[in-house]
Amino acid sequence: FHRPQVHCPCVPLSTTGETTREFQADYAPENIPRVAQGDLLMTTDTENTMAAAMAAIQPALASALARQGYATLTPVQIAVLADTAKDKDLLVSAQTGSGKTVAFGLAIAPTLMGEEQIFGPAERPLGLIIAPTRELALQVEREFRWLYADAGVTTASCVGGMDMRKERRALERGAHIVV
């Protein structure tokens, strides 16, 4: 898929590996909405950005977010949904607990889903996600399972140190996303 790495502020990488200065300025720390008592501080600009980000989310994913108690998106999630990040490879760096895993799931949804709202039976994987540790791989698979549940996505994880027979059976049953 188009977004092979989501490691925000998000910084699109150019073909030469240099960052886009305008994008960095847009998402400089002083320009990212701050979190206050669990909610984003809402300015007119932030409200417009939030509205645009929410409009970019596939309906099935939006309902999953609502069920999980998301009243607003985190700054990193807003950043990956921005028009300036669309169809770009992203390098994301943010604190633990900032919503990077869900941001990654939201960012790849247009590539995985296209115009479809519901996936059919899994024939072959549409997405392969590689994580550097077993714990992160299991976290990604767990988060994607609830995030994509309403879209009918089947996930599977294949990690070292786990029951290989169980993983093989999961792959044989079919998975849309393999971590």
Side-chain angles (χ1 to χ4, degrees), residues 12-131:
L13 303 176
S14 71
T15 54
T16 62
E18 296 176 8
T19 59
T20 306
R21 291 186 193 280
E22 295 133 26
F23 194 89
Q24 275 186 315
D26 290 345
Y27 290 97
E30 63 273 10
N31 295 334
I32 295 175
R34 297 285 180 246
V35 176
Q37 299 173 342
D39 293 319
L40 290 175
L41 293 173
M42 300 304 275
T43 64
T44 303
D45 191 43
T46 304
E47 289 171 359
N48 292 339
T49 304
M50 177 70 76
M54 293 301 282
I57 299 173
Q58 302 277 4
L61 277 62
S63 65
L65 289 169
R67 230 183 357 273
Q68 288 289 323
Y70 280 75
T72 61
L73 297 175
T74 66
V76 70
Q77 293 160 353
I78 292 169
V80 301
L81 294 171
D83 284 340
T84 50
K86 191 179 241 178
D87 296 325
K88 296 216 173 34
D89 292 343
L90 303 174
L91 179 64
V92 179
S93 178
Q95 295 270 356
T96 299
S98 63
K100 292 183 300 291
T101 304
V102 171
F104 179 59
L106 295 173
I108 67 169
T111 302
L112 292 177
M113 298 179 75
E115 298 297 318
E116 299 297 321
Q117 297 302 314
I118 304 292
F119 283 81
E123 295 174 12
R124 61 184 174 91
L126 300 173
L128 173 64
I129 299 166
I130 300 172

Side-chain angles (χ1 to χ4, degrees), residues 2 5 8 13 61 64 72 78 98 116 121 131 162 164-165 177:
H2 287 97
Q5 53 177 210
C8 187
L13 303 176
L61 277 62
T72 61
I78 292 169
S98 63
E116 299 297 321
M162 303 299 275
M164 191 168 32
R165 293 170 299 194
I177 300 172

